[in-house]
Amino acid sequence: MSTLSAGTTLQNGKYRIISTLGQGGFGITYLAENTMLEGKVAIKEFFYKEYCDRDADTRHVTVLRKTAQPIM
């Protein structure tokens, strides 16, 4: 599973990834810093490893296949 690298910023620089705390079938948890308040936070990214892929250069996430069929 492709995780965000240390130093990656989110929400226009409000959060900065420090490290990956853990990952599993439903997502990735990161240790991050709130750059405005200068405190540490945990960020959970819902990233279904069987259905998603992340481009290493752009960090763009792509859904690889549908997760549910419409009810008719």
Side-chain angles (χ1 to χ4, degrees):
M1 185 180 315
S2 179
T3 62
L4 296 173
S5 302
T8 298
T9 58
L10 305 171
Q11 293 190 355
N12 295 320
K14 183 176 179 181
Y15 299 100
R16 183 180 56 81
I17 301 296
I18 297 171
S19 64
T20 302
L21 294 174
Q23 56 187 337
F26 292 103
I28 307 167
T29 305
Y30 300 96
L31 174 62
E33 176 187 20
N34 181 319
T35 59
M36 300 172 80
L37 301 176
E38 298 181 0
K40 292 182 180 176
V41 297
I43 296 176
K44 176 72 174 195
E45 177 184 34
F46 292 100
F47 189 98
Y48 298 100
K49 68 180 182 179
E50 293 183 21
Y51 302 107
C52 299
D53 187 39
R54 184 189 323 274
D55 183 280
D57 296 325
T58 65
R59 298 178 297 179
H60 179 78
V61 175
T62 304
V63 177
L64 301 175
R65 60 183 178 181
K66 294 181 182 179
T67 59
Q69 295 294 324
I71 299 173
M72 299 279 180

